[in-house]
Amino acid sequence: MATFSNNSSVTTARPFTGDEMSQTAVWILGFVHGLTAANGIVGSGLILYTLLTDQQYRQMANTYTVYMVNLVITDLYFETYFFPLLILDYSLGHHPVVNGSHCAVTAYLALTAYCVFLSTLVAISVDRYVCICHYVNYRVYCSRKRSTYVSLAIWIMGILIPLPAVFDGSLGFDARAHCCFIRDSDSQSYSGRLLSFMVLTVLFSASVPNFQIYRIHRNSRRRVGVWQPGQCQSNGTSIQHEGERHTPPRLKVVSASDIILLRSLIVVFVCLLVFLAPAVVVRAMRKSVDISPEVYGVVTWLLSVNSSINWIIYGLMNGRFRNGYRRALNKCKSCLVG
């Protein structure tokens, strides 16, 4: 397993000590990290409450609910473990890990969470594509049980794919970023290349099915005039001409809920790219440009923001989530009053 080697330019007696930062920056970063983590934990709880109590989500035969649980679990890892370690680092002056192996495992779990998160976004996009564009096959082959198997496969891949990084020494304490992740000098290592590959793969894999769904939605809104034999209507049925054999429905109506879901996924992924981009740029420039630890602290905070705003995106774009949040907050209010 990977062992620790401190990359800090500042000589310190205590291991896992990051580069020196101003006291003001330490207090500000610690406060905003704590506030962001608390916001994310509350939001993840509201999402789970909505998924478990909303009648439609509980009875849905498709994979949406199962995959949403995947996304919440990955967010909770960062909100309840990874970023609290960072907050303690700012408070104590050193990273609170036991040894190098503990630090490498922490970094490995972060890579696993990213892999699962990105793979789940692709799985939801493909699921919606099959549901809308191949509705007959979706009704036959897709079920909550099968979606659970797919979710399990995603976790197995997420665990196995980053595993070599634990043993090649590329994971450990990054003194400039004050966290356990990809080492300062190993941006071109297996783990660094893996993260870049996953982001690019998801960008392509999620864009193709979503574009196809958007194209079908656009065409269904523009359909006017004469229908051709065998062409599907927007309600999923085909026009049957005299002497022509009936064709079973292949397209599902692109409902408002489908469009809302797709828009939510697109916004979540765009936010991921926006908040991840500064970290990628900083890591690419760090060998040629002297970047202050404060800048690394802000970049790391942006990553924590990404994992804590998903519940806000769902609430803003989906009425069912907003109603679920209201129910949860009203229940908490009743418990406090009672």
Side-chain angles (χ1 to χ4, degrees):
M1 187 170 290
T3 57
F4 160 75
S5 65
N6 196 344
N7 297 305
S8 175
S9 59
V10 180
T11 303
T12 58
R14 187 186 294 274
F16 308 107
T17 301
D19 291 351
E20 186 176 356
M21 301 173 63
S22 66
Q23 194 64 30
T24 302
V26 169
W27 280 105
I28 293 176
L29 289 173
F31 174 76
V32 296
H33 269 292
L35 191 63
T36 304
N39 169 74
I41 293 172
V42 172
S44 297
L46 291 175
I47 292 176
L48 289 176
Y49 179 85
T50 302
L51 293 175
L52 294 175
T53 58
D54 188 274
Q55 185 176 3
Q56 180 178 349
Y57 288 142
R58 292 176 61 184
Q59 295 177 353
M60 285 176 73
N62 59 39
T63 61
Y64 180 62
T65 304
V66 177
Y67 289 152
M68 280 296 299
V69 173
N70 262 15
L71 298 180
V72 172
I73 292 174
T74 57
D75 286 341
L76 281 174
Y77 165 75
F78 290 103
E79 295 156 1
T80 61
Y81 179 70
F82 189 86
F83 292 118
L85 287 180
L86 190 57
I87 296 171
L88 289 174
D89 182 290
Y90 292 137
S91 303
L92 302 175
H94 63 92
H95 211 63
V97 290
V98 177
N99 50 35
S101 297
H102 182 197
C103 188
V105 170
T106 299
Y108 162 74
L109 291 176
L111 273 180
T112 297
Y114 271 120
C115 289
V116 172
F117 182 86
L118 296 172
S119 300
T120 302
L121 290 181
V122 174
I124 297 177
S125 299
V126 172
D127 173 79
R128 292 295 87 196
Y129 168 76
V130 175
C131 178
I132 294 171
C133 302
H134 301 278
Y135 188 50
V136 174
N137 294 331
Y138 184 86
R139 293 167 61 189
V140 173
Y141 296 109
C142 294
S143 64
R144 183 181 294 272
K145 183 177 181 180
R146 285 193 173 93
S147 69
T148 303
Y149 291 153
V150 173
S151 179
L152 180 61
I154 289 175
W155 278 101
I156 293 175
M157 289 190 298
I159 292 172
L160 295 180
I161 291 176
L163 195 58
V166 179
F167 301 97
D168 70 359
S170 62
L171 301 180
F173 184 66
D174 187 344
R176 295 187 185 182
H178 287 247
C179 66
C180 295
F181 199 54
I182 303 172
R183 291 179 187 273
D184 184 5
S185 59
D186 289 319
S187 60
Q188 298 301 317
S189 63
Y190 172 82
S191 52
R193 294 178 184 274
L194 171 64
L195 189 58
S196 301
F197 173 78
M198 287 294 297
V199 172
L200 293 176
T201 301
V202 170
L203 179 62
F204 174 78
S205 302
S207 299
V208 172
N210 287 334
F211 175 75
Q212 292 295 329
I213 294 172
Y214 168 75
R215 188 166 61 91
I216 291 173
H217 174 62
R218 182 192 59 188
N219 292 340
S220 66
R221 292 171 63 103
R222 293 181 178 178
R223 279 191 191 120
V224 291
V226 181
W227 288 81
Q228 299 297 324
Q231 189 175 16
C232 289
Q233 302 182 75
S234 61
N235 63 358
T237 62
S238 62
I239 293 182
Q240 184 177 4
H241 295 266
E242 184 176 355
E244 185 180 85
R245 189 173 181 180
H246 175 71
T247 304
R250 296 185 61 83
L251 295 179
K252 176 183 178 291
V253 177
V254 186
S255 63
S257 60
D258 291 322
I259 296 300
I260 290 173
L261 173 58
L262 293 176
R263 287 175 179 171
S264 301
L265 293 176
I266 292 173
V267 172
V268 167
F269 186 68
V270 168
C271 288
L272 173 65
L273 293 180
V274 169
F275 290 119
L276 187 62
V280 174
V281 172
V282 166
R283 294 193 70 86
M285 297 174 57
R286 65 197 308 175
K287 290 186 177 181
S288 57
V289 179
D290 186 18
I291 302 176
S292 66
E294 288 81 3
V295 173
Y296 282 98
V298 173
V299 167
T300 308
W301 173 70
L302 290 177
L303 295 177
S304 70
V305 171
N306 175 73
S307 66
S308 67
I309 64 171
N310 290 336
W311 73 278
I312 300 176
I313 296 173
Y314 303 142
L316 290 176
M317 305 189 71
N318 193 315
R320 285 194 169 274
F321 275 104
R322 287 196 298 273
N323 294 333
Y325 298 166
R326 291 192 189 99
R327 291 196 306 272
L329 295 176
N330 290 333
K331 188 171 183 178
C332 291
K333 182 179 179 180
S334 300
C335 293
L336 293 175
V337 173

